[in-house]
Amino acid sequence: MSARNILVINCGSSSIKFALVNEAQATFPLQGLAERVGTPEAVLHWQLGDTKQSLNIPGADHRAALERLLPVAQEAAGGKLDGIGHRVVHGGEHFTGSTLIDEAVLKAIRDSAQLAPLHNPANLVGIDAAMALFPGLPQVSVFDTAFHQTMPEHAFRYAVPEFLYKEHSVRRYGFHGTSHNFVSKRAAEMTELPVDDSCWLTAHLGNGCSTCAIVNGESRDTSMGLTPLEGLVMGTRSGDVDPNLHSYLNRTLGWSLEQIDRMLNHDSGLKGLSGLSNDLRTLQEARVAGHAGATLAFEVFCYRLAKSLASMACALPKLDGLIFTGGIGENSMAVRTRTLEHLKLFNFKLDEEANARCTRGVGGEIQAAGSPRVLVVPTNEERQIALDTLALLDA
Ligand code: ADP
């Protein structure tokens, strides 16, 4: 059997990210992005091998953009596409793993839309379009939440009245599951530990950020909750705040729920604290130049991350290693250093040279002698989505 090709699609409300994953190749033969979908400025960018190309597709909706993408993907796959893997943000309690898409699955994703009103409908548009365009191809949905369905009840329940859970699905779900899953398996490979007998703390730090406690290949706790707002300080999201903040702001400033939502999701986090940017690279430069807001944002980010990791440790019987991933985790030696300085009781010590070496896709162990393992592991959500899709094709 020749190596199979899976097209991975991640549909947002106005964008489509895509990658062609070949099971025998380390790099993607094709990857790209359709932006501003549904507007006169819609544009498709892709990289085929080393060649970058763009095509204006004015007014194209998701389906039209996917239609333009199809011949490019077919060509990159040598005419042989074997399946499509779709990222879906929320699978509720219904999905404990990835699944082949059929009518019942579509209905269940639709039913979960209330839990992720911004994301699931966009994911569904992509699935509908791809199913109409590629009716003969097996299509799989891979959920951000599914990996965390192994959390025990004491980790996933909120201390609120039971009917809110039983009748209204109010519980902690967690997100970034594809990434936490991928990097913990990679870490087991890198350290030659068996997946089913190894325990990890993972920190996925991108624009969204979350931590996870993983025991023998299963998530036991994670920092995000009912929505991706809970937990760590993120690019523009506040992470944990006092739940009474809503009523306080309503009472004192007269803010509506929509205003408070927008502030917590879009104007907070690194951006809100620094008053400068949500981008850590910009903040690191400003911090070195003495910018007070950037310095504070960096300090709060690292301290809150350390606190979250320490609390995640409650879910582990032992620790085989702490894993940093995501754009910040993979690149910022300053964040890794400062965060571990806050975790003195764990006795983490970094090898400065190894820490400096791990950036721009280079992973490895970065601890000094005598310290618990600390690893930088580049995440690869597209690869994990393709692996899940292939596993379902084999089954
Ligand atoms: P997303 O969650 O959108 O996939 P990424 O995983 O790409 O985001 O992470 C984006 C974050 O990573 C940004 O805050 C960016 O500043 C940060 N980042 C990327 N490269 C570096 C770098 N070399 N040094 C520090 N931070 C970096």
Side-chain angles (χ1 to χ4, degrees):
M1 187 169 60
S2 60
R4 291 167 297 178
N5 291 299
I6 302 297
L7 180 62
V8 173
I9 296 178
N10 179 356
C11 248
S13 54
S14 64
S15 71
I16 307 172
K17 286 187 197 152
F18 57 91
L20 184 75
V21 183
N22 178 282
E23 63 182 333
Q25 294 176 27
T27 54
F28 302 146
L30 166 75
Q31 58 188 318
L33 170 72
E35 286 182 293
R36 282 167 266 155
V37 173
T39 74
E41 290 82 39
V43 57
L44 183 63
H45 305 284
W46 71 92
Q47 180 168 357
L48 185 64
D50 292 330
T51 315
K52 289 187 180 170
Q53 294 182 64
S54 293
L55 178 70
N56 289 322
I57 46 173
D61 59 7
H62 286 80
R63 178 163 175 172
L66 282 174
E67 234 166 318
R68 292 304 188 96
L69 160 64
L70 168 66
V72 183
Q74 289 284 21
E75 189 197 331
K80 193 181 146 300
L81 261 185
D82 294 277
I84 301 185
H86 295 270
R87 176 193 180 212
V88 179
V89 168
H90 218 306
E93 284 193 326
H94 193 93
F95 295 106
T96 57
S98 301
T99 183
L100 274 166
I101 300 174
D102 58 18
E103 276 308 315
V105 167
L106 284 174
K107 178 175 179 317
I109 298 173
R110 241 175 254 126
D111 290 347
S112 303
Q114 182 63 13
L115 290 165
L118 294 180
H119 293 102
N120 274 26
N123 301 153
L124 276 166
V125 170
I127 293 175
D128 284 341
M131 289 186 71
L133 289 167
F134 313 87
L137 272 188
Q139 313 221 9
V140 165
S141 45
V142 178
F143 301 91
D144 275 19
T145 50
F147 180 62
H148 301 298
Q149 280 294 309
T150 46
M151 280 196 282
E153 191 162 16
H154 64 255
F156 75 66
R157 286 289 293 273
Y158 290 114
V160 297
E162 188 183 34
F163 81 95
L164 289 174
Y165 168 55
K166 291 273 157 78
E167 293 165 37
H168 301 283
S169 308
V170 175
R171 52 157 284 179
R172 309 184 62 251
Y173 293 93
F175 299 85
H176 292 143
T178 311
S179 177
H180 291 296
N181 183 18
F182 180 83
V183 298
S184 60
K185 304 259 157 68
R186 264 299 288 145
E189 252 172 48
M190 287 159 69
T191 53
E192 297 182 3
L193 292 171
V195 169
D196 59 6
D197 184 16
S198 57
C199 297
W200 308 98
L201 289 175
T202 52
H204 175 104
L205 312 173
N207 281 308
C209 300
S210 66
T211 55
C212 185
I214 299 170
V215 176
N216 304 339
E218 295 185 347
S219 170
R220 291 292 162 83
D221 200 357
T222 189
S223 59
M224 284 177 167
L226 175 72
T227 76
L229 185 58
E230 186 176 332
L232 305 178
V233 173
M234 313 185 205
T236 62
R237 286 178 235 160
S238 62
D240 292 339
V241 292
D242 186 326
N244 270 330
L245 183 60
H246 280 76
S247 55
Y248 179 78
L249 293 178
N250 176 260
R251 233 182 16 256
T252 55
L253 301 177
W255 283 13
S256 66
L257 282 180
E258 288 72 27
Q259 279 176 298
I260 300 168
D261 255 20
R262 201 174 322 118
M263 179 275 290
L264 292 174
N265 281 288
H266 300 293
D267 303 326
S268 296
L270 293 174
K271 181 182 170 195
L273 275 167
S274 67
L276 189 65
S277 171
N278 64 314
D279 193 298
L280 189 84
R281 272 166 300 199
T282 308
L283 297 186
Q284 287 189 161
E285 282 164 25
R287 174 174 169 254
V288 171
H291 188 284
T295 306
L296 178 68
F298 175 87
E299 292 298 335
V300 177
F301 182 90
C302 295
Y303 179 67
R304 292 266 299 266
L305 170 59
K307 244 170 58 160
S308 174
L309 288 167
S311 69
M312 283 296 138
C314 292
L316 299 183
K318 61 170 179 164
L319 178 64
D320 288 306
L322 164 61
I323 302 165
F324 285 101
T325 193
I328 295 173
E330 291 168 31
N331 289 298
S332 175
M333 67 182 278
V335 164
R336 299 189 294 243
T337 303
R338 192 80 185 107
T339 302
L340 297 192
E341 282 169 2
H342 287 301
L343 290 166
K344 290 198 183 61
L345 295 181
F346 287 76
N347 206 24
F348 287 120
K349 290 194 185 64
L350 289 181
D351 177 322
E352 272 181 44
E353 237 172 76
N355 191 16
R357 199 168 50 238
C358 285
T359 172
R360 293 172 200 282
V362 177
E365 294 188 32
I366 60 170
Q367 76 279 358
S371 162
R373 278 189 203 90
V374 183
L375 295 97
V376 176
V377 182
T379 194
N380 194 331
E381 290 163 280
E382 293 84 1
R383 173 79 53 191
Q384 186 63 51
I385 291 172
L387 288 172
D388 283 18
T389 305
L390 287 166
L392 283 162
L393 297 190
D394 289 338

